[in-house]
Structures are given as structure tokens and as C-alpha cells.
Amino acid sequence: MTPQSDEDEVWRQIVASFNDTAERDSADQPWPDSENVPAEPTRRVVKPSEEPELDQDAPDHDDRDELARDDDEDEGHFEPPPPPPLPKLDLPTKLAWVALFGGPAYLLVAAMASWQMEGWALFTAVAAFIGGFVALVVRMGDGPPNDSGWDDGAVL
């Protein structure tokens, strides 16, 4: 017999026994009997709380309740420190950002206002966008910042 015919025979056996029920024999179970779930679940006993119940006629303004409410309000409150100031940009970086956003902004405004655009204006807007992008990428440093110290972090 070829390996293909053996495989076909195995598949026929699997398909033929698909709807057969498995025999339930405790000797064939792969886990210990202590892991078997009992037919009726065990009941859990819940103990009442040890705190005294408040009377319905007691006043609502108890000192303990007010302190607890104040603690709850203060517990989750976090006020982050103010963020550090933005770094100062030099003139070429500012011009690159203006070109990056100014070129497409001009094209968008001109298209929405149905302005007739000359070829040189269209070329200038697209060139400004591409030039601003290239200027920002070229000025972007590929090394660590100057103030990072001697440690480069994890090196593998």
C-alpha cells in the first residue's frame, strides 16, 4: 500500500466514527478522581459583616461618614506637574514646518474657493511641501541627544 492509501483509510475511519459516543470509563480518564466535578456543587456559607448596621432613624451627618467621604475624594485626585516648555526652533526649522503645512493648505483653500491656479503656483505649493518634508528629515538627528550621558541603554 502507498502512503496515500493509508492516509485515505485513516480519514475514512475518522469520518465513520465521527458520531460515535465515547465510552465513559474511569480507568481511561487522564486526570485523577479528585479533579472530577461532583454532581451537586458544594454550598458556600457567607458570613455577615462584622460592622454594626446603621439604624434607619440615625442622622445622616455622622462625623465618620464625612471623613470617609473626604478621604475618598482626595484619594483618587492627582494633579500632574506642568509640562516642560517646548524647545526653541531655529529659522530653517520654522520655515520647513511652514512649507510642509503651507503648501497643502494653499492647495486646499484654492480648491475649496474654486480659484484658478496657475501652473507655477501649483508647482510652488507641491515643491514647498516636498522641500519642507525633506528639510525636516535631513535635519532630524539619527544619534542620541547631546544630554543623554554616556549610557546608550541596553546594548545587545
Side-chain angles (χ1 to χ4, degrees):
M1 289 192 357
T2 64
Q4 182 65 31
S5 63
D6 291 340
E7 189 175 313
D8 290 340
E9 182 62 30
V10 170
W11 277 108
R12 282 190 203 99
Q13 289 175 357
I14 291 173
V15 171
S17 64
F18 180 74
N19 289 327
D20 293 346
T21 58
E23 295 177 13
R24 293 192 174 236
D25 186 14
S26 62
D28 293 338
Q29 290 182 352
W31 55 81
D33 287 335
S34 62
E35 296 290 326
N36 289 337
V37 180
E40 184 175 320
T42 58
R43 306 231 182 250
R44 297 179 72 184
V45 177
V46 179
K47 295 180 181 179
S49 66
E50 295 177 6
E51 294 181 12
E53 293 185 19
L54 298 175
D55 294 335
Q56 299 296 337
D57 300 333
D60 290 337
H61 301 295
D62 189 21
D63 291 336
R64 189 175 60 172
D65 290 340
E66 288 180 18
L67 289 174
R69 271 189 243 123
D70 290 341
D71 289 343
D72 290 343
E73 290 174 3
D74 291 340
E75 184 176 327
H77 182 70
F78 173 71
E79 191 168 322
L86 293 174
K88 301 291 184 200
L89 298 179
D90 55 346
L91 184 63
T93 304
K94 288 179 185 177
L95 290 176
W97 279 109
V98 168
L100 183 72
F101 290 112
Y106 171 74
L107 293 176
L108 183 65
V109 168
M112 291 178 68
S114 299
W115 292 346
Q116 194 70 349
M117 288 186 283
E118 297 289 327
W120 63 269
L122 185 63
F123 175 77
T124 304
V126 172
F129 170 73
I130 294 172
F133 177 77
V134 169
L136 288 173
V137 169
V138 167
R139 293 180 57 82
M140 184 172 60
D142 56 348
N146 295 336
D147 61 350
S148 67
W150 62 271
D151 187 16
D152 289 341
V155 178
L156 302 176

